[in-house]
């Protein structure tokens, strides 16, 4: 994990102030765990990421969302060997803050889900340090098309698989 003490931290409300919906804000802890699992080869972080996604969105949305974030994280790490600055996903105090890199990754997804190319381009440039990586853009756009704006958080009863009989 990269050092996050280089500047004043943003609070979690920063994501809401830039217009992120609950779906996008909920992606942040999943992204943190996935990125940490890649950077530190920690299989428990990978498992926690998928568990969080399923708990928050249910299996039908959570599993493909976590997989999509995993692909985004891999592409981002191919562009930036140092990886993004992250808050510790297991620290209760750190969970309330976001780094500039985290804000821009979630912002990139936010703008792509709304087909706002100019703002998405700025976010991509920020997280890649100016490199407009086609793999990252393609992967993030694929995620955005799979989860367009308007996806809502499932209630606990909706998140559980249901058995039904078809006659």
């Amino acid at each position: 994990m990269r050092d996050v003490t280089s500047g004043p931290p943003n609070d979690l409300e920063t994501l809401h102030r830039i217009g992120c919906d609950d779906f996008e804000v909920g992606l942040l802890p999943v992204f943190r765990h996935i990125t940490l699992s890649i950077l530190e080869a920690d299989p428990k972080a990978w498992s926690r990421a998928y568990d969080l996604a399923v708990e928050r969105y249910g299996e039908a949305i959570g599993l493909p969302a976590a997989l999509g974030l995993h692909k985004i994280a891999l592409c981002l790490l191919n562009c930036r060997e140092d990886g993004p600055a992250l808050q510790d996903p297991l620290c209760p105090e750190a969970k309330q803050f976001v780094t500039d890199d985290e804000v821009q990754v979630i912002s990139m997804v936010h703008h792509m889900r709304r087909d706002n190319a100019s703002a998405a381009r700025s976010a991509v440039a920020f997280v890649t340090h100016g490199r407009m990586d086609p793999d990252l853009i393609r992967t993030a756009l694929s995620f955005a098309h799979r989860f367009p704006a308007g996806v809502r958080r499932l209630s606990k009863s909706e998140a559980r698989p249901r058995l039904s009989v078809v006659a």
Side-chain angles (χ1 to χ4, degrees):
M1 205 161 13
R2 288 188 40 218
D3 178 25
V4 294
T5 60
S6 59
N10 301 303
D11 63 8
L12 201 54
E13 279 301 307
T14 302
L15 296 176
H16 289 291
R17 283 193 294 273
I18 63 171
C20 291
D21 60 24
D22 287 340
F23 177 78
E24 293 154 348
V25 173
L27 296 174
L28 179 60
V30 178
F31 176 76
R32 285 175 175 167
H33 282 290
I34 285 172
T35 306
L36 184 65
S37 75
I38 299 166
L39 290 171
E40 298 184 359
D42 179 4
K44 290 181 183 175
W46 175 87
S47 179
R48 280 189 294 269
Y50 279 77
D51 289 346
L52 277 171
V54 168
E55 180 182 306
R56 184 166 180 99
Y57 305 111
E59 285 185 21
I61 295 173
L63 290 176
L67 178 61
L69 284 177
H70 189 237
K71 291 176 181 179
I72 289 172
L74 286 172
C75 288
L76 179 57
L77 291 170
N78 283 336
C79 301
R80 285 180 57 177
E81 292 178 14
D82 61 340
L86 299 170
Q87 292 288 353
D88 182 350
L90 297 176
C91 175
E93 292 84 27
K95 288 180 183 180
Q96 302 307 312
F97 297 99
V98 290
T99 67
D100 289 338
D101 284 341
E102 291 171 333
V103 169
Q104 293 301 323
V105 168
I106 300 300
S107 175
M108 174 184 70
V109 170
H110 166 79
H111 292 302
M112 286 182 176
R113 289 179 72 221
R114 287 158 181 81
D115 207 22
N116 184 345
S118 176
R121 201 173 300 115
S122 294
V124 170
F126 184 94
V127 298
T128 62
H129 292 171
R131 180 178 168 198
M132 298 304 285
D133 185 74
D135 291 332
L136 175 63
I137 294 167
R138 192 176 309 112
T139 301
L141 283 171
S142 176
F143 182 91
H145 288 129
R146 172 70 171 88
F147 303 101
V151 173
R152 65 181 174 81
R153 183 176 180 173
L154 296 177
S155 69
K156 289 196 183 242
S157 64
E158 291 174 313
R160 292 188 189 124
R162 289 189 211 125
L163 182 63
S164 61
V165 178
V166 180

